[in-house]
Amino acid sequence: MERADVAIIGGGLVGCAAAWQLARKGASVVLIEAGDINAGASGQNAGSLHFQIERRFLENGDDLAEQGAQIVALSRHAVTDWATIEGDLAADLHVAMDGGLMVAETAEQVALLERKAARESHEGLAVRTLDGEQARTIAPYLSPGILAANFSADEGHADPRAVTPALADAARREGASVRTATRVRTIERDAGRFRVEGEGLALSADQLLVAAGAWSTEICALVNIHMPLYPVALLMNATERTAPMVPHLVQHVGRRLSLKQTHAGNLLIGGGWPSRLAQTPNGGFDLSARAQMIPESLTGNLLAARDVVPGVTQLNLIRSWTGVTAISSDQLPIVGPVPRVPGLWVAAGGSAFTLGLTFARMLADAMTGGDADELALLSPARFEHLNGFMG
Ligand SMILES: Cc1cc2nc3c(=O)[nH]c(=O)nc-3n(C[C@H](O)[C@H](O)[C@H](O)COP(=O)(O)OP(=O)(O)OC[C@H]3O[C@@H](n4cnc5c(N)ncnc54)[C@H](O)[C@@H]3O)c2cc1C
């Protein structure tokens, strides 16, 4: 049987970044991917590097907003990780960090922006609040209907099609073995090690990292552990290419919208509009089938884009697609060691395009003898009560 220090399940951004970081620290690593590298959410997403508190944390009351604010400490690390990744990998990932605006169209939303900025400055993230005129001075493409915006100088975007393949290449260069088209079917505990098996794979590893995105719950079930992550399907849209128009990441504090212009000139429009997950005949969600677009989501998303950046109405929509990611029961990602199973680690959920490089770097430190203190907020230990009856 093949042996490794670490087995990683999932060839998305998180798994590939962790494989690279662990291999460069000298660990022997086998990364196992059911399909192809970047086949999951990491290749389907909007590519936003958003460091301001996300709208989804702001719309459900102060407690959740407070929790969302705590993740800002990790976002500050993510700023540095993204600013250095192209140099570290010697690859062009189309990273653009020219600033991000979170806009408001109503007085209520302006008040929300102000409360958000106060929380962010308390957590050490520099965000400026601009009135509508000031916002249009730096972003003339914004509608006259924008009353205010929070501006974060570090926000931006990167190319989801480039990042994860480049990380996988870097992991290979550092000696990691990357197995695609290899679905993990069983995991057994064997004398303190993990015996991981799938098509053409029989591997014994000291440590196991589950980085399987929306599939992480079913992988954890193979080790008899509950991991409260839920799949969600989201909509994305792309317009035809146009001349440089939107140099920033644009988000909305009160409506579902993210908008940016890619290096190639297309506008990418998303922001968390739902799609419908496919179902299995016995009532569960079928993650192997494509999620279905919901027409109202498409209309809602495009109307929000039009209201914020009226110039989009001059562009043809050339592509819409759905992608599946995972959200945990408290909305925070789940990252760190699983207390009940020594050697088992998980990293899944949340906005792991923005934060995935940081999770991977911190996990690699912790898995090679460092501590996981900076990830404490995200620890799987907060759900340990769910596993009290699991053997
Ligand atoms: C439409 C959309 C837009 C988004 N926009 C943003 C954004 O702008 N910014 C942001 O920060 N985040 C965004 N996200 C979230 C972000 O994409 C994810 O958090 C991130 O990509 C997760 O990466 P991952 O490596 O954890 O998982 P994934 O990329 O999903 O990778 C998991 C991998 O595990 C593999 N796998 C599953 N089961 C098995 C098995 N049994 N054996 C082996 N391999 C297996 C899958 O094939 C898959 O490749 C968005 C998500 C979506 C869907």
Side-chain angles (χ1 to χ4, degrees):
M1 174 167 295
E2 189 179 359
R3 292 171 78 89
D5 296 331
V6 183
I8 299 175
I9 303 177
L13 188 155
V14 176
C16 292
W20 168 57
Q21 293 283 10
L22 283 160
R24 71 202 292 229
K25 285 175 174 293
S28 62
V29 178
V30 177
L31 180 141
I32 310 148
E33 163 56 46
D36 206 350
I37 294 301
N38 215 23
S42 300
Q44 301 162 338
N45 68 55
S48 305
L49 304 178
H50 46 68
F51 306 121
Q52 301 185 50
I53 301 171
E54 292 177 66
R55 187 196 49 78
R56 67 190 171 99
F57 286 112
L58 300 170
E59 64 187 3
N60 293 309
D62 277 351
D63 287 351
L64 195 59
E66 195 50 51
Q67 203 174 29
Q70 290 172 41
I71 218 166
V72 163
L74 288 165
S75 298
R76 287 195 281 119
H77 287 286
V79 172
T80 310
D81 289 326
W82 278 104
T84 52
I85 189 69
E86 289 183 303
D88 288 348
L89 299 185
D92 186 358
L93 310 176
H94 307 124
V95 177
M97 297 171 79
D98 298 319
L101 291 144
M102 192 177 283
V103 303
E105 290 176 282
T106 67
E108 202 175 282
Q109 290 166 3
V110 175
L112 197 53
L113 277 186
E114 281 162 358
R115 287 206 297 281
K116 180 182 85 58
R119 285 188 205 283
E120 286 161 340
S121 87
H122 186 253
E123 299 292 334
L125 185 79
V127 168
R128 279 194 291 143
T129 301
L130 310 173
D131 65 24
E133 284 315 307
Q134 290 167 327
R136 276 180 290 280
T137 303
I138 61 166
Y141 54 82
L142 287 176
S143 152
I146 299 305
L147 296 183
N150 279 165
F151 181 73
S152 156
D154 295 312
E155 285 189 325
H157 48 91
D159 183 352
R161 290 182 298 179
V163 175
T164 301
L167 288 163
D169 287 346
R172 286 189 195 95
R173 284 198 299 275
E174 295 289 347
S177 169
V178 176
R179 313 283 169 82
T180 55
T182 307
R183 179 172 294 280
V184 170
R185 300 277 182 200
T186 62
I187 304 171
E188 303 287 341
R189 293 287 279 150
D190 181 9
R193 296 174 66 84
F194 295 89
R195 193 183 161 121
V196 184
E197 298 198 359
E199 299 108 358
L201 176 82
L203 174 71
S204 171
D206 289 321
Q207 301 190 79
L208 174 65
L209 171 61
V210 179
W215 295 266
S216 298
T217 304
E218 63 188 54
I219 303 286
C220 287
L222 297 176
V223 203
N224 204 35
I225 286 289
H226 286 309
M227 201 52 65
L229 287 155
Y230 302 89
V232 288
L234 303 175
L235 172 71
M236 281 304 308
N237 304 288
T239 71
E240 64 186 325
R241 297 177 185 193
T242 189
M245 172 180 164
V246 181
H248 308 113
L249 169 66
V250 180
Q251 300 183 89
H252 201 299
V253 73
R255 294 171 75 180
R256 295 181 188 214
L257 179 67
S258 76
L259 188 150
K260 66 194 65 71
Q261 187 163 19
T262 67
H263 65 286
N266 315 77
L267 297 194
L268 276 191
I269 302 170
W273 286 85
S275 302
R276 189 155 291 128
L277 289 163
Q279 299 211 330
T280 58
N282 51 9
F285 292 118
D286 181 358
L287 301 186
S288 66
R290 178 68 52 198
Q292 249 185 15
M293 191 180 299
I294 299 173
E296 293 77 14
S297 285
L298 180 61
T299 319
N301 202 173
L302 298 182
L303 286 175
R306 178 205 64 184
D307 292 348
V308 173
V309 181
V312 296
T313 55
Q314 302 306 311
L315 299 170
N316 283 306
L317 184 67
I318 58 165
R319 190 168 161 235
S320 298
W321 66 97
T322 62
V324 174
T325 187
I327 188 163
S328 74
S329 56
D330 64 4
Q331 291 219 58
L332 293 176
I334 306 179
V335 186
V338 178
R340 188 161 295 260
V341 185
L344 178 66
W345 301 74
V346 66
S351 294
F353 190 75
T354 302
L355 294 171
L357 296 178
T358 307
F359 294 162
R361 181 173 55 74
M362 290 179 174
L363 277 172
D365 280 348
M367 292 174 78
T368 53
D371 61 52
D373 293 355
E374 287 181 300
L375 292 167
L377 172 71
L378 310 180
S379 171
R382 69 192 193 274
F383 299 118
E384 191 50 14
H385 56 283
L386 298 176
N387 288 308
F389 302 100
M390 306 304 284

